[in-house]
Amino acid sequence: MQLVSVDLGGTHARFALAEVAEGRVVSLGEPATLKTAEFASLQTAWQAFEQQVGSPLPRAAAIGIASPIGGELIKMTNNSWIIRPALISERLNVDTYVLINDFGAIGHAVAQVAPEHFTHVCGPDVALPESGAITVCGPGTGLGVAQVLRAKDGYHVIETEGGHQDFAPLDGIEDALLKRLRKTFTRVSMERVVAGPGIVAIYQTLAEIEGRAIQQIDDKAIWTLALEGGDSLALAALDRFCLALGAVAGDLALAHGPTAVVIAGGLGLRLKDRLLQSGFEQRFTAKGRFQGLMKSVPVKIITHPQPGLFGAAAAFAQEHAQ
């Protein structure tokens, strides 16, 4: 069965033709990336993709949305689009469709992509387990968290709000970071630290500790400085981010059942080489009496170029195979 797979974010809307069969994704075509700011709605972006394809689109769609799914109206978190599920069939000229949260789609991608789309980070260098709970966490604009439950009858994806659990500092520097964040947020969640914007507070905390002037610089600029390696304070902030991500990933694994962990998200992929060289592993396993157990947990990064598109198609395939 052919369908249109869609990955809707705050900045970009990605489209691709996909083919599914027997609950699996058979193929995913070349993606088209459109800027949401240049289109009035999902419908007009859909029509632009159809013009690029040059022929009528399949009458089925899998749509991953960076927003909670449910209700009569879906308001995108970071752009002005409004989606009314009851009108999708009419507006997009489709007979069948699936709507899924964007991180739920990532969970489906983790369950279905081939082993070569994962890079080993730490723990045993083995394939993801065929049964049990796989924790998926993805630092990006926020911190997405999901579970993939594998069993003999297939798999199930559980979307969670695990990124909004309390952040737990583990040393004096993180105590200072928490104190800084509490000036703005009464309750400091993991997401306030282990997501793209969190590096600003880390950077400013380190500057304060060293007695430097606090620069008003946004997260994108700090990430650029850190990944280019030309600014020592930005590099230190990046190292601290990796430490915190390791601790958070370990906490999530303990909560879900420590079987395996997959790091996802655009920022997670950009950090692939950095995580391998950082203290991520030490923080991931530093769980007191459970340190031995945590050392037995494989941790990987998903490296598929379009996990959102692939995962949305996989969600459609699973639903319509039942």
Side-chain angles (χ1 to χ4, degrees), residues 233-260:
L233 195 64
L235 274 173
L238 172 58
D239 290 340
R240 273 281 153 186
F241 184 95
C242 292
L243 288 174
L245 178 58
V248 164
D251 287 344
L252 292 169
L254 282 174
H256 293 169
T259 303

mmCIF file of all heavy atoms in Angstrom, residues 233-260:
data_model
loop_
_atom_site.group_PDB
_atom_site.id
_atom_site.type_symbol
_atom_site.label_atom_id
_atom_site.label_comp_id
_atom_site.label_asym_id
_atom_site.label_seq_id
_atom_site.Cartn_x
_atom_site.Cartn_y
_atom_site.Cartn_z
ATOM 1 N N LEU A 233 34.541 27.979 26.929
ATOM 2 C CA LEU A 233 33.397 27.937 27.843
ATOM 3 C C LEU A 233 32.222 27.198 27.205
ATOM 4 O O LEU A 233 31.518 26.432 27.877
ATOM 5 C CB LEU A 233 32.984 29.353 28.241
ATOM 6 C CG LEU A 233 32.055 29.446 29.447
ATOM 7 C CD1 LEU A 233 32.748 28.936 30.702
ATOM 8 C CD2 LEU A 233 31.570 30.878 29.654
ATOM 9 N N ALA A 234 32.018 27.390 25.896
ATOM 10 C CA ALA A 234 30.963 26.666 25.198
ATOM 11 C C ALA A 234 31.263 25.168 25.176
ATOM 12 O O ALA A 234 30.358 24.333 25.322
ATOM 13 C CB ALA A 234 30.807 27.196 23.775
ATOM 14 N N LEU A 235 32.541 24.819 25.009
ATOM 15 C CA LEU A 235 32.926 23.401 25.056
ATOM 16 C C LEU A 235 32.665 22.803 26.435
ATOM 17 O O LEU A 235 32.184 21.668 26.561
ATOM 18 C CB LEU A 235 34.405 23.246 24.700
ATOM 19 C CG LEU A 235 34.749 23.128 23.220
ATOM 20 C CD1 LEU A 235 36.263 23.159 23.025
ATOM 21 C CD2 LEU A 235 34.172 21.845 22.638
ATOM 22 N N ALA A 236 32.961 23.568 27.476
ATOM 23 C CA ALA A 236 32.700 23.092 28.836
ATOM 24 C C ALA A 236 31.205 22.902 29.060
ATOM 25 O O ALA A 236 30.772 21.946 29.716
ATOM 26 C CB ALA A 236 33.266 24.075 29.853
ATOM 27 N N ALA A 237 30.400 23.814 28.500
ATOM 28 C CA ALA A 237 28.944 23.679 28.612
ATOM 29 C C ALA A 237 28.458 22.436 27.875
ATOM 30 O O ALA A 237 27.562 21.726 28.354
ATOM 31 C CB ALA A 237 28.262 24.933 28.066
ATOM 32 N N LEU A 238 29.043 22.161 26.717
ATOM 33 C CA LEU A 238 28.688 20.957 25.965
ATOM 34 C C LEU A 238 29.025 19.701 26.763
ATOM 35 O O LEU A 238 28.222 18.752 26.825
ATOM 36 C CB LEU A 238 29.434 20.946 24.632
ATOM 37 C CG LEU A 238 29.330 19.670 23.781
ATOM 38 C CD1 LEU A 238 27.885 19.352 23.459
ATOM 39 C CD2 LEU A 238 30.139 19.817 22.500
ATOM 40 N N ASP A 239 30.192 19.676 27.389
ATOM 41 C CA ASP A 239 30.570 18.524 28.216
ATOM 42 C C ASP A 239 29.574 18.325 29.355
ATOM 43 O O ASP A 239 29.175 17.191 29.668
ATOM 44 C CB ASP A 239 31.979 18.715 28.781
ATOM 45 C CG ASP A 239 33.056 18.607 27.721
ATOM 46 O OD1 ASP A 239 32.778 18.023 26.654
ATOM 47 O OD2 ASP A 239 34.173 19.108 27.947
ATOM 48 N N ARG A 240 29.177 19.438 29.975
ATOM 49 C CA ARG A 240 28.211 19.367 31.069
ATOM 50 C C ARG A 240 26.851 18.854 30.574
ATOM 51 O O ARG A 240 26.163 18.112 31.270
ATOM 52 C CB ARG A 240 28.036 20.751 31.689
ATOM 53 C CG ARG A 240 29.041 21.041 32.756
ATOM 54 C CD ARG A 240 28.630 20.357 34.058
ATOM 55 N NE ARG A 240 29.781 20.066 34.886
ATOM 56 C CZ ARG A 240 29.721 19.378 36.017
ATOM 57 N NH1 ARG A 240 28.567 18.909 36.447
ATOM 58 N NH2 ARG A 240 30.790 19.131 36.723
ATOM 59 N N PHE A 241 26.466 19.281 29.388
ATOM 60 C CA PHE A 241 25.207 18.812 28.800
ATOM 61 C C PHE A 241 25.244 17.299 28.615
ATOM 62 O O PHE A 241 24.281 16.591 28.942
ATOM 63 C CB PHE A 241 24.977 19.507 27.458
ATOM 64 C CG PHE A 241 23.649 19.170 26.820
ATOM 65 C CD1 PHE A 241 22.548 19.997 27.018
ATOM 66 C CD2 PHE A 241 23.496 18.050 26.018
ATOM 67 C CE1 PHE A 241 21.315 19.692 26.434
ATOM 68 C CE2 PHE A 241 22.277 17.740 25.429
ATOM 69 C CZ PHE A 241 21.189 18.566 25.640
ATOM 70 N N CYS A 242 26.349 16.777 28.110
ATOM 71 C CA CYS A 242 26.483 15.335 27.893
ATOM 72 C C CYS A 242 26.431 14.566 29.210
ATOM 73 O O CYS A 242 25.836 13.476 29.282
ATOM 74 C CB CYS A 242 27.778 15.032 27.144
ATOM 75 S SG CYS A 242 27.813 15.623 25.435
ATOM 76 N N LEU A 243 27.043 15.117 30.263
ATOM 77 C CA LEU A 243 26.971 14.495 31.575
ATOM 78 C C LEU A 243 25.524 14.419 32.055
ATOM 79 O O LEU A 243 25.053 13.372 32.528
ATOM 80 C CB LEU A 243 27.800 15.288 32.589
ATOM 81 C CG LEU A 243 29.320 15.216 32.490
ATOM 82 C CD1 LEU A 243 29.951 16.188 33.480
ATOM 83 C CD2 LEU A 243 29.820 13.801 32.757
ATOM 84 N N ALA A 244 24.810 15.530 31.930
ATOM 85 C CA ALA A 244 23.419 15.570 32.387
ATOM 86 C C ALA A 244 22.548 14.631 31.565
ATOM 87 O O ALA A 244 21.658 13.951 32.107
ATOM 88 C CB ALA A 244 22.887 17.000 32.306
ATOM 89 N N LEU A 245 22.797 14.559 30.264
ATOM 90 C CA LEU A 245 22.028 13.649 29.418
ATOM 91 C C LEU A 245 22.259 12.202 29.840
ATOM 92 O O LEU A 245 21.323 11.392 29.867
ATOM 93 C CB LEU A 245 22.405 13.843 27.949
ATOM 94 C CG LEU A 245 21.716 12.925 26.943
ATOM 95 C CD1 LEU A 245 20.201 13.059 27.018
ATOM 96 C CD2 LEU A 245 22.200 13.221 25.520
ATOM 97 N N GLY A 246 23.489 11.856 30.180
ATOM 98 C CA GLY A 246 23.770 10.505 30.649
ATOM 99 C C GLY A 246 22.999 10.174 31.910
ATOM 100 O O GLY A 246 22.409 9.088 32.040
ATOM 101 N N ALA A 247 22.986 11.103 32.867
ATOM 102 C CA ALA A 247 22.263 10.878 34.118
ATOM 103 C C ALA A 247 20.769 10.740 33.880
ATOM 104 O O ALA A 247 20.108 9.847 34.436
ATOM 105 C CB ALA A 247 22.538 12.031 35.088
ATOM 106 N N VAL A 248 20.214 11.610 33.041
ATOM 107 C CA VAL A 248 18.781 11.581 32.749
ATOM 108 C C VAL A 248 18.401 10.291 32.020
ATOM 109 O O VAL A 248 17.404 9.638 32.352
ATOM 110 C CB VAL A 248 18.386 12.821 31.916
ATOM 111 C CG1 VAL A 248 17.020 12.639 31.278
ATOM 112 C CG2 VAL A 248 18.401 14.061 32.803
ATOM 113 N N ALA A 249 19.190 9.895 31.031
ATOM 114 C CA ALA A 249 18.897 8.654 30.302
ATOM 115 C C ALA A 249 18.928 7.455 31.238
ATOM 116 O O ALA A 249 18.095 6.545 31.132
ATOM 117 C CB ALA A 249 19.899 8.477 29.163
ATOM 118 N N GLY A 250 19.865 7.452 32.185
ATOM 119 C CA GLY A 250 19.926 6.366 33.150
ATOM 120 C C GLY A 250 18.720 6.345 34.070
ATOM 121 O O GLY A 250 18.172 5.280 34.385
ATOM 122 N N ASP A 251 18.278 7.526 34.529
ATOM 123 C CA ASP A 251 17.095 7.600 35.381
ATOM 124 C C ASP A 251 15.853 7.098 34.648
ATOM 125 O O ASP A 251 15.022 6.373 35.210
ATOM 126 C CB ASP A 251 16.862 9.041 35.847
ATOM 127 C CG ASP A 251 17.865 9.489 36.901
ATOM 128 O OD1 ASP A 251 18.542 8.621 37.488
ATOM 129 O OD2 ASP A 251 17.970 10.705 37.126
ATOM 130 N N LEU A 252 15.713 7.494 33.385
ATOM 131 C CA LEU A 252 14.557 7.047 32.596
ATOM 132 C C LEU A 252 14.582 5.536 32.403
ATOM 133 O O LEU A 252 13.544 4.866 32.489
ATOM 134 C CB LEU A 252 14.540 7.758 31.241
ATOM 135 C CG LEU A 252 14.259 9.267 31.286
ATOM 136 C CD1 LEU A 252 14.535 9.897 29.915
ATOM 137 C CD2 LEU A 252 12.822 9.537 31.716
ATOM 138 N N ALA A 253 15.775 4.983 32.158
ATOM 139 C CA ALA A 253 15.883 3.542 31.993
ATOM 140 C C ALA A 253 15.480 2.813 33.270
ATOM 141 O O ALA A 253 14.775 1.789 33.226
ATOM 142 C CB ALA A 253 17.314 3.168 31.597
ATOM 143 N N LEU A 254 15.895 3.305 34.419
ATOM 144 C CA LEU A 254 15.493 2.696 35.679
ATOM 145 C C LEU A 254 13.977 2.728 35.857
ATOM 146 O O LEU A 254 13.369 1.777 36.344
ATOM 147 C CB LEU A 254 16.166 3.409 36.852
ATOM 148 C CG LEU A 254 17.632 3.063 37.136
ATOM 149 C CD1 LEU A 254 18.176 3.971 38.227
ATOM 150 C CD2 LEU A 254 17.782 1.601 37.537
ATOM 151 N N ALA A 255 13.363 3.842 35.470
ATOM 152 C CA ALA A 255 11.917 3.976 35.623
ATOM 153 C C ALA A 255 11.151 3.047 34.691
ATOM 154 O O ALA A 255 10.102 2.508 35.051
ATOM 155 C CB ALA A 255 11.501 5.424 35.375
ATOM 156 N N HIS A 256 11.671 2.846 33.497
ATOM 157 C CA HIS A 256 10.960 2.042 32.496
ATOM 158 C C HIS A 256 11.280 0.557 32.589
ATOM 159 O O HIS A 256 10.536 -0.274 32.067
ATOM 160 C CB HIS A 256 11.315 2.527 31.086
ATOM 161 C CG HIS A 256 10.805 3.890 30.784
ATOM 162 N ND1 HIS A 256 11.188 4.607 29.660
ATOM 163 C CD2 HIS A 256 9.927 4.690 31.438
ATOM 164 C CE1 HIS A 256 10.573 5.776 29.653
ATOM 165 N NE2 HIS A 256 9.810 5.854 30.718
ATOM 166 N N GLY A 257 12.388 0.213 33.208
ATOM 167 C CA GLY A 257 12.883 -1.162 33.186
ATOM 168 C C GLY A 257 14.127 -1.187 32.334
ATOM 169 O O GLY A 257 14.040 -1.045 31.103
ATOM 170 N N PRO A 258 15.315 -1.307 32.956
ATOM 171 C CA PRO A 258 16.577 -1.127 32.212
ATOM 172 C C PRO A 258 16.909 -2.286 31.286
ATOM 173 O O PRO A 258 17.601 -3.226 31.647
ATOM 174 C CB PRO A 258 17.617 -0.975 33.335
ATOM 175 C CG PRO A 258 17.021 -1.721 34.488
ATOM 176 C CD PRO A 258 15.539 -1.563 34.383
ATOM 177 N N THR A 259 16.379 -2.215 30.058
ATOM 178 C CA THR A 259 16.645 -3.235 29.039
ATOM 179 C C THR A 259 17.520 -2.679 27.927
ATOM 180 O O THR A 259 18.484 -3.310 27.518
ATOM 181 C CB THR A 259 15.324 -3.753 28.449
ATOM 182 O OG1 THR A 259 14.494 -4.260 29.503
ATOM 183 C CG2 THR A 259 15.578 -4.871 27.455
ATOM 184 N N ALA A 260 17.193 -1.482 27.442
ATOM 185 C CA ALA A 260 17.973 -0.814 26.396
ATOM 186 C C ALA A 260 17.530 0.633 26.323
ATOM 187 O O ALA A 260 16.414 0.983 26.717
ATOM 188 C CB ALA A 260 17.792 -1.498 25.049
#
